[in-house]
Amino acid sequence: MFPKYYNRRARENYLEHNGHLDCDGLRVEIKNEIPRFAPSGSYAALFGEQWNKYKKTQLDSYSGTSITMDRLNRCLGDLRSDLHDKLVLEAGCGAGRFTECLLQKGALLVSADLSSAVEANRENFPVTDRHKIIQADIYDLPFMDESFDVVICLGVIQHTPNSEKTIGELYKLVKKGGTLVIDHYTQSRSNLLRTVPLYRAYLKRKPFNKTIAITEKLVKKYLPLHKIFANNRILCAILNRISPVVSYYRSLPQLNDQQQKEWAVLDTHDWLTDWFKHYRSKKQIIKTLAYLGAENIYCANGGNGVEARCKKPL
């Protein structure tokens, strides 16, 4: 049903033994039903901290909204109602905001993350015969090329060391005739005028297990101001130049105050502590996908910046 785990260097499949996988002398631990192809200590450790503390915040079932499903459906396009029994790889699964929606759509889902967020994902959405979870590097995912009908990577690529390399590695795993679905940050002039780079330079020097507490203090200080000025476009724009906090009072008014706080902590932490932050224009994403040989390329501004999908030719 699911593709076998495959060691790209040894060019052999892993064989399962008691509590681990083995391939050509390389032993992979299976802990809490999750194969650990990569250790937790990496540039993604900060994300593991935030998702294990706020493991339910962005789940639609927890927020009582359709925010995540709406975003996923927009990115999927015509695929939104065509995932039942499709083999789907979710790269950079976090605590499972998209996992929930993909399982609801009936996908045969592999959720992968480099960080300890896999623990939160498993707690939210246990391993079953339709859902597998692995801890692995996006540059060394343990599957043969062309293993999945759909590969989805949302909110992740801009935080990896090299965006083009990441897109290329994901595209390799798409079957002929299959679909790649991605998004990416885009640069805007407003980003250049904010104090965010100063806060980011400070927080990047802090131990990864201390940054959540600092972010929470920033949110406590600035978020009430974002609420006050949410309906005043000019004052809101001025505040955004000063405040490092990401606020959704304007864009997601359906969230209550507690939810606004939790979403602000999560995305402010993302914004201020990521080791890598890349920006790509719509034109650059299209160029990358075209270089890989993709067809039926769709790319539009939306979500975190630009959203794209494409087909791999038969």
Side-chain angles (χ1 to χ4, degrees):
M1 185 179 294
F2 285 98
K4 293 181 178 179
Y5 297 124
Y6 182 74
N7 187 322
R8 290 172 176 267
R9 285 164 288 184
R11 299 188 181 278
E12 296 177 7
N13 290 318
Y14 286 91
L15 299 177
E16 185 168 355
H17 299 287
N18 293 329
H20 70 277
L21 301 171
D22 186 81
C23 179
D24 195 33
L26 179 63
R27 183 186 177 100
V28 174
E29 181 186 17
I30 301 176
K31 182 180 178 183
N32 295 334
E33 302 180 282
I34 302 171
R36 312 291 174 145
F37 294 96
S40 295
S42 68
Y43 67 86
L46 290 154
F47 298 118
E49 288 290 309
Q50 70 179 42
W51 292 123
N52 278 293
K53 183 166 186 179
Y54 293 95
K55 61 189 66 175
K56 294 187 180 296
T57 295
Q58 293 187 334
L59 304 182
D60 281 353
S61 60
Y62 180 78
S63 67
T65 71
S66 61
I67 293 169
T68 297
M69 183 66 85
D70 292 344
R71 177 176 166 187
L72 178 62
N73 282 337
R74 185 178 65 242
C75 293
L76 288 172
D78 292 342
L79 267 180
R80 69 187 67 182
S81 58
D82 190 29
L83 289 185
H84 187 74
D85 285 345
K86 294 286 180 67
L87 275 172
V88 177
L89 172 65
E90 177 193 17
C93 62
R97 66 177 301 191
F98 296 109
T99 306
E100 178 175 55
C101 300
L102 293 166
L103 290 173
Q104 288 173 359
K105 290 177 178 292
L108 296 172
L109 182 64
V110 176
S111 299
D113 203 286
L114 178 57
S115 78
S116 62
V118 292
E119 307 294 350
N121 194 290
R122 178 180 176 270
E123 182 176 328
N124 287 330
F125 307 103
V127 172
T128 68
D129 59 355
R130 300 188 67 86
H131 182 219
K132 305 301 178 188
I133 306 171
I134 64 170
Q135 187 170 358
D137 192 323
I138 206 166
Y139 292 152
D140 192 24
L141 290 166
F143 301 104
M144 294 185 67
D145 291 352
E146 300 180 356
S147 288
F148 294 91
D149 299 305
V150 181
V151 174
I152 296 175
C153 188
L154 300 177
V156 175
I157 296 173
Q158 57 265 359
H159 300 309
T160 63
N162 183 295
S163 294
E164 287 69 34
K165 180 179 178 181
T166 301
I167 295 170
E169 291 298 319
L170 295 171
Y171 186 77
K172 288 179 184 177
L173 296 173
V174 179
K175 291 181 179 179
K176 289 182 171 63
T179 303
L180 174 66
V181 180
I182 62 173
D183 67 1
H184 203 291
Y185 283 168
T186 54
Q187 186 62 278
S188 68
R189 282 181 294 179
S190 63
N191 289 337
L192 302 175
L193 300 173
R194 300 186 66 178
T195 59
V196 167
L198 300 177
Y199 284 96
R200 189 165 179 258
Y202 169 73
L203 283 173
K204 284 183 71 175
R205 295 198 300 268
K206 296 294 181 180
F208 72 86
N209 58 347
K210 303 292 186 182
T211 55
I212 281 283
I214 297 172
T215 303
E216 289 170 338
K217 290 178 181 178
L218 289 171
V219 169
K220 183 177 181 180
K221 176 180 179 179
Y222 286 106
L223 192 62
L225 297 175
H226 285 276
K227 182 180 180 180
I228 292 171
F229 299 136
N231 295 320
N232 188 313
R233 187 177 297 274
I234 295 175
L235 293 178
C236 186
I238 294 172
L239 177 61
N240 283 336
R241 299 293 185 271
I242 302 168
S243 167
V245 169
V246 178
S247 168
Y248 292 105
Y249 277 110
R250 286 181 64 86
S251 59
L252 299 175
Q254 64 268 49
L255 296 175
N256 63 39
D257 283 346
Q258 180 59 32
Q259 292 166 340
Q260 291 284 354
K261 177 183 176 181
E262 292 182 13
W263 281 62
V265 170
L266 277 172
D267 284 355
T268 301
H269 191 254
D270 262 13
W271 193 239
L272 298 181
T273 63
D274 50 351
W275 280 53
F276 304 103
K277 192 190 302 292
H278 306 298
Y279 299 94
R280 297 292 184 271
S281 67
K282 184 167 67 172
K283 183 178 180 180
Q284 288 173 313
I285 293 296
I286 292 172
K287 181 179 179 180
T288 297
L289 295 174
Y291 174 80
L292 293 171
E295 61 183 19
N296 297 341
I297 299 172
Y298 168 85
C299 193
N301 293 320
N304 291 331
V306 62
E307 299 171 339
R309 59 181 177 271
C310 65
K311 290 276 191 180
K312 178 176 282 189
L314 291 170

